[in-house]
Amino acid sequence: MRILLKNIKQLITSQPEESGFVSLDRIKSPVSNFNSILIEEGKIKKVGYNLNLPAEKIIDCSCFIVTPGFVESHTHLVYSGSRADEFLLRAQGVSYKDIAKSGGGIKKSVKSTRSVNYEDLLNESKERLKIFLRKGITSIEIKSGYGLDMETEIKQLKVIRELKKIFKMEIKSTYLGAHEIPEEFKNRRNEYIEFIKNKMIPYIAENELADFIDVFCENGVYTEIESYDILSKGIEYGLKVRLHADEMEYSGGSSVAKRLKAKSVDHFNFPNPDDLVDLKNNGTIITLLPLTNMFLKIKEKPPVELMRSVGNAISISTDFNPGSSPSYSLLLAGTIGMVNYGLTYDELIYAITVNPAYSLDLDYKGSIVEGKDADILLFRKNDYKELFYYSGDDQPEIVILKGEIVNFEKL
Ligand code: NIG
Ligand code: FE
């Protein structure tokens, strides 16, 4: 099927540099002078000015801005059970750590995810994924980590594998067995780590159940040494590294990310600033999660000014999960990134398109460039700044996924 998008009011191409991403010291306008796109066989065939080519479908885009499909690179959307009560407690001043100590937090989601059956887990995850797609997310990363035991982690990873089959979206899967120490290993943490290294990782790799491995590297959860150890084992088995690092305090996470050349280092509220240069040189994307900081009332922020001067590359993500960030809106994450960290409109565009695509090894996604997948969004807006300026209005009018217009009624 050939589709021609013509008379585009404003075209955001979000073109990467030769590196495959755009770092904070190389930010340029993401807007193109062209106004038409020809799509053929799922790909962007041509981008040009006033293209007048035959096509089965022609869309007049004079009232639309056009952007690449958004790329969401950090979610925990396969889980069961709600933690809405904790949300209120936190809003009223109880801390995330105190809630976790009294049996809430990740452990609560582990309980409910262990007890749900595969079919129900698949169905609820499917519904969540549809919401993301409706908001223009055309590629997404999903983590396990609410099972911790073999059976439930595999159940989560199998749900992700099934989602890959059901949806045309690009989905990457991450094993996060080191998200917490499970209750049954409370006084035997080393045994749990050995179980991850010797049983889980080999099984997951053999059965191709994950693309990445992740660890919650944080004082009180996994130490720097433990994180390094677990992630190294993952690398040995062909998994690539992303990690939850230094979210609540400096815990050695940025150093682990540096030493293991992670694809992405996430949260990053309290990194060691000395690691920034190496992270840049390694092409590690720093994934900021401004919604989580807002919901957890974390007052400190990632060292954005320093990252700009070093020239690191950033992504923005929702961190969608039932605890610290129950929000589906990547655009809202961008808005909060602007309000709380001072990120600019242009920085935000790259942070939700080509940079997360790079961190997920999706170099054929995230920008409107000839030859790439035709994942394209049409928004009824006048200017791309409005994507972040009018927060809450985050739904594209049309989503094109691999060259096909998504019919949401049939989803
Ligand atoms: O990214 N930081 C660790 N993990 C999640 C929170 C998960 C949860 O609260 O259930 C996060 O914020
Ligand atoms: Fe997370």
Side-chain angles (χ1 to χ4, degrees), residues 74 76 143 244 267 319:
H74 181 141
H76 308 249
K143 301 175 198 295
H244 287 69
H267 287 291
D319 189 16

Side-chain angles (χ1 to χ4, degrees), residues 28 44 62 77 82 130 223 238 242 247 277 286 345 365:
K28 56 202 166 173
I44 296 161
S62 44
L77 73 81
S82 163
K130 279 187 207 169
T223 65
R242 17 191 7 95
E247 177 181 358
V277 172
I286 298 173
Y345 292 109
K365 301 281 188 186

Side-chain angles (χ1 to χ4, degrees), residues 74-76 143 176 179 214 244 267 289 319-321 324:
H74 181 141
T75 79
H76 308 249
K143 301 175 198 295
L176 176 56
H179 196 193
D214 191 340
H244 287 69
H267 287 291
L289 310 168
D319 189 16
F320 178 85
N321 74 71
S324 63

